[in-house]
Amino acid sequence: MIALPLAFTVTTILSIGALIFVGIFGLILMNFFGLWIQAKSAGAPVSIINLVFMRFRKVPPALIVNSRITAMKANLAYSTDSLEAHYLSGGDVTNVVLALIAADKAGIPLTFERACAIDLATKDTGKTVLEAVRTSINPMVIDCPSPNATSNKITAVAKDGIAMNVRARVTVRTNLDRFVGGATEETIIARVGEGIVTSVGSAENYKFVLENPDNISKLVLGKGVDSATAFEILSIDVADVDVADNVGARLQAEQAEADKQIAQAKAEMRRAAAVAVEQEMSARTQEMRAKVVEAESEVPQAIAEAFRNGNLGIMDYVKYQNVKADTDMRDSIAKTEDHSSDQ
């Protein structure tokens, strides 16, 4: 083998290293030079090294750079580290930046940390921090009861027993200070529904409700139904109110029917008791008749005993038979006359 000079070997190694360095540098320029120039020209510079490290941290550099440029153009300055931290937490960096810009333009105080907290809190709810800010700027309307409810109206009963159907529309805007941890729309709907029932229930009659539907709004607003919720109620408007049913009359009719059934049951108890007493008296009558028959059966024995003892003569016995025959005849005539009069 031909031995190569040492100087040639070192030169070759340095050349190869230089080529590798140039290749890596070229690759970096191909991937990040455009973003670096874009950020630099937009007044939101980001170093090439930071862009490379973003890729190692599995953070999309284009998303961070574009979000930072958008914020800088709106006179809001946020570091790439803050944007990366929110992305790595699972947040939506684009929505957070747009929400902060919208809040700043509308004069609504909203910090970056709170915007990130709202974004993370609404991640699994189908809502975004941008929607929360937009609702704070442009109020939204909540139907009460909810359109998804089984009934499209709330039924309440006035003091005169007349039921009223009420449907209300609640205008709310987002309270960003209470958005994290605050109650949702369902709580607003439930509280407003409770207030409507209370308001109608305190009315002396249904005519008062029909004539003054604004009293419902005043009473519900006075109860502070938006406390500890993520919203601030601006107004409660009664969209529809009508008469549903005369609940008082129906309840009275049902009560009367129940009282009648109770009276019938008590009357049946008294009739059954009377029948029992009658049957008892009939049994006692039969018992007394049995005693009479038993006593009458002793009469012939007594007569025979009287004959044997000489206490009764034949003429006495004949008179006794005549009296008995006369009594039987009179009883027979009396029964015949009673039967004729009944016909």
Side-chain angles (χ1 to χ4, degrees):
M1 296 180 60
I2 301 174
L4 297 175
L6 181 61
F8 177 79
T9 304
V10 172
T11 302
T12 303
I13 293 174
L14 291 175
S15 299
I16 294 173
L19 289 174
I20 293 174
F21 177 78
V22 170
I24 294 174
F25 184 74
L27 185 63
I28 292 174
L29 287 179
M30 288 176 59
N31 285 276
F32 302 105
F33 185 71
L35 281 176
W36 181 78
I37 290 295
Q38 181 182 355
K40 188 73 174 177
S41 62
V46 181
S47 66
I48 291 288
I49 300 300
N50 199 2
L51 293 175
V52 174
F53 286 163
M54 286 183 194
R55 183 62 57 87
F56 287 128
R57 291 191 290 266
K58 296 183 179 181
V59 176
L63 175 65
I64 302 301
V65 169
N66 291 331
S67 298
R68 188 164 186 268
I69 290 173
T70 303
M72 292 295 291
K73 289 300 181 180
N75 296 323
L76 298 175
Y78 303 113
S79 66
T80 56
D81 291 339
S82 299
L83 298 176
E84 285 186 66
H86 185 60
Y87 176 84
L88 293 173
S89 300
D92 191 327
V93 175
T94 303
N95 275 335
V96 168
V97 171
L98 293 177
L100 287 166
I101 294 172
D104 181 69
K105 297 303 180 184
I108 299 174
L110 180 64
T111 63
F112 180 81
E113 290 75 14
R114 180 167 292 277
C116 292
I118 294 174
D119 181 60
L120 294 175
T122 58
K123 182 172 62 173
D124 299 327
T125 62
K127 297 182 180 181
T128 64
V129 61
L130 182 58
E131 292 178 358
V133 173
R134 286 176 177 172
T135 305
S136 181
I137 299 171
N138 299 315
M140 70 174 181
V141 176
I142 301 175
D143 289 325
C144 183
S146 172
N148 298 326
T150 55
S151 177
N152 61 350
K153 292 184 180 180
I154 296 174
T155 302
V157 182
K159 289 184 178 181
D160 59 353
I162 305 297
M164 308 292 295
N165 286 332
V166 182
R167 182 168 59 88
R169 307 192 74 186
V170 186
T171 304
V172 300
R173 67 182 176 191
T174 303
N175 189 327
L176 296 177
D177 293 334
R178 297 199 305 255
F179 197 85
V180 178
T184 58
E185 300 175 16
E186 288 75 13
T187 302
I188 294 288
I189 294 174
R191 290 180 179 178
V192 171
E194 178 186 359
I196 290 174
V197 172
T198 303
S199 177
V200 175
S202 62
E204 293 297 330
N205 56 69
Y206 75 98
K207 295 180 181 179
F208 182 81
V209 178
L210 294 175
E211 293 172 357
N212 304 280
D214 57 319
N215 285 340
I216 297 177
S217 303
K218 293 177 182 178
L219 178 62
V220 176
L221 283 173
K223 292 173 67 68
V225 295
D226 57 354
S227 61
T229 66
F231 301 96
E232 177 185 353
I233 295 180
L234 301 180
S235 67
I236 299 176
D237 305 303
V238 177
D240 189 15
V241 57
D242 56 59
V243 178
D245 185 20
N246 192 337
V247 178
R250 178 162 53 82
L251 292 177
Q252 289 179 359
E254 293 176 356
Q255 185 62 45
E257 180 65 22
D259 293 341
K260 185 185 75 171
Q261 293 179 359
I262 293 173
Q264 288 177 345
K266 291 181 178 180
E268 180 64 22
M269 292 175 60
R270 291 193 296 269
R271 187 194 66 81
V275 170
V277 172
E278 180 183 1
Q279 292 177 349
E280 182 181 358
M281 295 303 295
S282 177
R284 293 181 63 183
T285 301
Q286 293 295 333
E287 181 182 358
M288 297 304 295
R289 286 178 179 175
K291 290 182 179 180
V292 170
V293 172
E294 182 182 1
E296 289 178 348
S297 65
E298 295 178 355
V299 172
Q301 298 177 6
I303 293 174
E305 183 68 22
F307 271 117
R308 283 193 295 268
N309 295 332
N311 295 327
L312 182 68
I314 189 61
M315 294 304 297
D316 295 328
Y317 180 73
V318 171
K319 289 180 180 180
Y320 166 74
Q321 291 293 333
N322 289 335
V323 172
K324 183 178 178 182
D326 184 61
T327 303
D328 292 339
M329 180 184 66
R330 292 177 183 274
D331 290 340
S332 177
I333 293 172
K335 291 181 181 179
T336 303
E337 290 179 352
D338 291 340
H339 181 70
S340 299
S341 63
D342 291 338
Q343 292 181 349

